[in-house]
Amino acid sequence: MKKITFLTSLAFIFIMLLGVNVQAQKFSDLDKSPMDAASYPSDYKVSDKLIKVIYSRPQLKGRSLDNLAPNGKVWRTGANESATITLYKDMKLGSTIVKAGTYSLATIPGEKEWTIILNSDVNTWGSYSYNEANDVARINVPVMKADASIEAFSIAFEKGTNAIDMYLAWDTLRVKVPFLN
């Protein structure tokens, strides 16, 4: 009797194992343009953020900035999914008051100035489905050059005069975008 119970139990366990998918999960490799976030205030101990950007960080890897973010064409401001910017309170970008919320962040690079765009379309890939009709705000800002080159596209915030300044940097290019609060 014990032998039958043991064999029955063993058969039950074997059948259960066959019914369960025992294949290992497939995980993708590390992204070549990893996702990052920048916020103000940037101190992680401060829970009351005013502004935050989530974006992917493409790298030059010997390539030309002009090829990666071509002048005169809408660019997703990073890589992969469109960058998103969250304003936690109403702010002013240029002459437009932007309501608190989450927007896609697009840019149009130029030799002397960049156009910064906040658009209501979120959860988009790249700038392929960019629709100008859904722009919430635009501002043109001057391009600055730096001596030091930055390999990976980067975004940072600083407290400015009556504004929170968002800096975009890649290679020797620098762009300052003031958000008035």
Side-chain angles (χ1 to χ4, degrees):
M1 182 70 108
K2 286 184 178 181
K3 190 173 187 180
I4 294 174
T5 305
F6 173 75
L7 289 175
T8 304
S9 297
L10 190 61
F12 178 74
I13 291 170
F14 181 74
I15 290 170
M16 290 303 293
L17 285 176
L18 287 177
V20 176
N21 183 359
V22 292
Q23 291 183 348
Q25 296 297 313
K26 293 182 181 179
F27 293 96
S28 60
D29 292 334
L30 184 63
D31 198 338
K32 295 187 184 344
S33 298
M35 190 175 286
D36 201 355
S39 62
Y40 184 85
S42 60
D43 187 346
Y44 289 108
K45 295 176 186 172
V46 176
S47 61
D48 292 335
K49 301 292 183 201
L50 296 175
I51 189 169
K52 179 172 72 172
V53 174
I54 298 174
Y55 67 107
S56 292
R57 300 183 66 186
Q59 299 174 37
L60 290 172
K61 294 185 178 180
R63 300 174 292 180
S64 163
L65 182 58
D66 294 335
N67 289 337
L68 297 169
N71 287 342
K73 294 185 178 181
V74 176
W75 180 52
R76 63 183 121 194
T77 318
N80 305 328
E81 293 181 56
S82 299
T84 57
I85 186 166
T86 300
L87 306 179
Y88 293 98
K89 67 178 236 174
D90 296 354
M91 293 189 174
K92 195 171 183 183
L93 181 63
S95 61
T96 305
I97 295 174
V98 181
K99 296 287 184 190
T102 300
Y103 306 92
S104 60
L105 172 64
T107 51
I108 302 174
E111 192 173 314
K112 296 186 187 225
E113 68 179 15
W114 279 30
T115 302
I116 309 302
I117 305 165
L118 300 187
N119 188 284
S120 62
D121 293 333
V122 293
N123 296 322
T124 58
W125 183 265
S127 56
Y128 304 109
S129 60
Y130 168 73
N131 183 350
E132 186 175 348
N134 296 329
D135 286 356
V136 173
R138 282 179 169 234
I139 186 174
N140 292 328
V141 293
V143 170
M144 301 173 280
K145 294 289 181 181
D147 293 332
S149 179
I150 294 179
E151 174 66 22
F153 174 70
S154 300
I155 298 177
F157 289 97
E158 274 186 5
K159 178 69 175 148
T161 307
N162 299 321
I164 298 168
D165 294 328
M166 177 176 71
Y167 288 90
L168 309 179
W170 205 7
D171 196 7
T172 57
L173 177 131
R174 304 292 185 272
V175 175
K176 179 175 93 171
V177 183
F179 285 87
L180 302 174
N181 56 353

